[in-house]
Amino acid sequence: MSTQTERRRRSDGERSRRTILLTAARLATVEGLDGLTIGRLAAATGMSKSGLFAHFGSKEELQLATIGAAEEIFAEDVLRPALEAEGLERVRALSERFLSHVGRNVFPGGCFFASAAAELDTRPGPVRERVVAVQRQWMDLFEGAIRTAQERRELDPSVDPAQLTFELNALLGEANGLYLLSGDPGAFDMARRGIADRLERAAA
Amino acid sequence: MSTQTERRRRSDGERSRRTILLTAARLATVEGLDGLTIGRLAAATGMSKSGLFAHFGSKEELQLATIGAAEEIFAEDVLRPALEAEGLERVRALSERFLSHVGRNVFPGGCFFASAAAELDTRPGPVRERVVAVQRQWMDLFEGAIRTAQERRELDPSVDPAQLTFELNALLGEANGLYLLSGDPGAFDMARRGIADRLERAAA
DNA sequence: CCTACCGATCGGTAGG
DNA sequence: CCTACCGATCGGTAGG
């Protein structure tokens, strides 16, 4: 009985924590991770300020937990489907899933990590470091797929993988930014065209 | 006498306003245009909160005036030197001056308008509109220079000027972002290489 | 997870 | 351009 009650409580807490963090992640792409205040988040989730606060203990812990929730969403929506492919097809799938992710407005402020990176780039601390780490993972994944594509001779082995990663990510980032500023999905088409051209030129 | 006193006062006010706005523009690339608070800005300029506030009348007016100051700095540092060239050389000069502008840390948070655009992209209102207008001017300038280069047969006339503008700006934006996150000026070299390659491929 | 608070800071105003 | 102030909201705490 007491065990069951405790289990229920814990699971209720988990569920409530999840709800809070999903709302927080969406809100943070609009208000920023710093503009995300405990009061507004409490209002958005229908909880009391201190009730919500009790889940995290500090604003910084809330921000870190929010980044974790955003990571999960991104992994599920972009990485998981793209990782089913390999080599050049993986490079294409990562790009296409990213553009689709932004275009479906999974987060109202576009790519969570582009938004967070722009906000935190000049603010030292553990929150910034966490965002940098996620960004680096993404770049490494991209670069790894390019290297595999070169081993398979789907891409010219003389191409610099870091340079190609930089260029493809530039196109993805610009599509995200331009779409948010203009509301025009044509931004995705320009990125697609740029990526297709660049990959064609890098073909073996 | 009274005229001279009034002139002095007005000119003192102008000078003080200028000082405030230069500080505000630099601060805004770190704290954000919204994170830029009147209290912090007053402390940074050595004025009282209400004394500073009297110059603008509202936070929104302060934000708009700050954008105006950032525009002047950008025009002087990037546009003016680049506009001495024409056609393809202007495209190259706009790119190079932009990268130099970011690399010299004219603003501690990199390109003021990249920072502002990322912050305000999801926040409707006159401040956002002003940032969008500046961004559009920049893109139009770029596209115009590309068109001139095509008329002069420095670039292939079959190239889509909007598409090429998108791709070059993507590389500039990625350099700005990566430099701010990594602190590594190698980001500028990757952008330079990408731009040179892309322009070579677009040559007539 | 709540009510009831805390000191600090926010944008803004009154009055000079 | 200042002092002195306003109500609202901030992150966080006490105590349950």
Side-chain angles (χ1 to χ4, degrees):
Chain A
M1 270 295 227
S2 109
T3 314
Q4 209 176 47
T5 307
E6 209 182 312
R7 257 189 210 142
R8 231 240 291 196
R9 258 193 210 136
R10 200 173 286 159
S11 129
D12 281 0
E14 284 291 307
R15 207 178 309 139
S16 140
R17 192 186 147 96
R18 231 188 140 62
T19 307
I20 294 167
L21 289 178
L22 291 181
T23 306
R26 290 177 52 83
L27 213 61
T29 63
V30 177
E31 315 274 2
L33 268 163
D34 229 78
L36 177 74
T37 74
I38 293 164
R40 261 198 294 258
L41 187 54
T45 53
M47 282 178 73
S48 74
K49 240 179 64 176
S50 66
L52 187 144
F53 189 81
H55 279 281
F56 306 100
S58 76
K59 185 171 179 180
E60 188 171 289
E61 284 304 321
L62 167 64
Q63 291 174 326
L64 291 170
T66 299
I67 293 171
E71 264 189 274
E72 278 180 46
I73 293 169
F74 190 79
E76 196 63 30
D77 193 52
V78 178
L79 302 186
R80 210 183 55 153
L83 294 187
E84 284 173 15
E86 284 179 352
L88 180 57
E89 277 315 304
R90 179 176 289 189
V91 175
R92 289 211 173 93
L94 284 168
S95 304
E96 192 49 52
R97 287 302 302 177
F98 179 89
L99 295 173
S100 156
H101 173 75
V102 177
R104 280 177 288 115
N105 305 303
V106 173
F107 293 104
C111 172
F112 179 94
F113 294 98
S115 168
E119 180 187 4
L120 301 168
D121 51 15
T122 52
R123 306 192 205 172
V127 183
R128 186 200 128 109
E129 291 320 304
R130 181 78 183 265
V131 170
V132 169
V134 174
Q135 203 105 339
R136 188 155 33 220
Q137 275 173 45
W138 166 258
M139 301 284 268
D140 286 350
L141 196 61
F142 232 93
E143 200 175 313
I146 288 170
R147 285 183 198 279
T148 303
Q150 289 177 316
E151 283 162 17
R152 298 170 154 213
R153 304 289 160 177
E154 295 166 341
L155 289 177
D156 185 339
S158 76
V159 165
D160 179 349
Q163 176 73 27
L164 185 53
T165 298
F166 176 89
E167 294 186 22
L168 295 178
N169 263 280
L171 295 165
L172 296 177
E174 186 74 0
N176 179 63
L178 190 56
Y179 173 67
L180 291 171
L181 275 189
S182 70
D184 181 5
F188 302 127
D189 296 327
M190 291 211 270
R192 285 190 184 101
R193 188 167 154 193
I195 289 167
D197 280 12
R198 188 66 189 83
L199 287 179
E200 200 177 322
R201 193 150 57 92
Chain B
M1 273 294 231
S2 109
T3 314
Q4 208 176 47
T5 307
E6 209 181 313
R7 257 190 208 142
R8 231 241 292 203
R9 255 189 213 139
R10 200 174 285 160
S11 127
D12 280 1
E14 285 290 308
R15 206 178 310 139
S16 141
R17 191 186 149 95
R18 231 189 140 63
T19 307
I20 294 167
L21 290 178
L22 291 180
T23 306
R26 288 178 53 84
L27 214 61
T29 64
V30 176
E31 315 275 3
L33 267 163
D34 230 77
L36 175 74
T37 73
I38 293 165
R40 262 198 293 259
L41 187 52
T45 53
M47 282 177 71
S48 73
K49 240 179 64 176
S50 65
L52 187 146
F53 189 80
H55 279 282
F56 307 102
S58 77
K59 185 172 180 179
E60 189 172 290
E61 284 304 321
L62 167 64
Q63 291 174 325
L64 291 170
T66 300
I67 293 170
E71 265 189 275
E72 279 180 44
I73 292 167
F74 191 79
E76 197 62 29
D77 194 50
V78 179
L79 302 186
R80 211 182 55 153
L83 293 188
E84 284 173 14
E86 283 179 352
L88 180 58
E89 277 316 304
R90 178 176 290 189
V91 175
R92 289 211 173 93
L94 284 167
S95 303
E96 193 47 54
R97 286 303 301 176
F98 178 89
L99 295 173
S100 156
H101 173 76
V102 176
R104 279 177 289 115
N105 305 303
V106 173
F107 294 104
C111 172
F112 179 95
F113 294 98
S115 169
E119 180 187 4
L120 300 168
D121 51 15
T122 53
R123 306 191 206 172
V127 183
R128 187 201 128 111
E129 291 321 303
R130 182 77 183 265
V131 170
V132 169
V134 174
Q135 203 104 338
R136 189 154 32 219
Q137 276 172 46
W138 166 260
M139 301 285 267
D140 287 349
L141 195 61
F142 233 94
E143 200 176 313
I146 289 170
R147 285 184 199 279
T148 303
Q150 289 177 314
E151 283 162 17
R152 296 171 152 213
R153 303 291 160 176
E154 295 166 340
L155 289 177
D156 185 338
S158 76
V159 166
D160 180 348
Q163 176 72 26
L164 185 53
T165 298
F166 176 90
E167 294 186 22
L168 296 179
N169 263 281
L171 295 165
L172 296 177
E174 186 74 0
N176 178 64
L178 190 58
Y179 173 66
L180 291 171
L181 275 190
S182 69
D184 182 4
F188 302 128
D189 296 327
M190 291 210 270
R192 284 190 183 100
R193 187 168 155 192
I195 289 167
D197 280 10
R198 188 66 188 84
L199 287 178
E200 201 177 319
R201 191 152 56 90

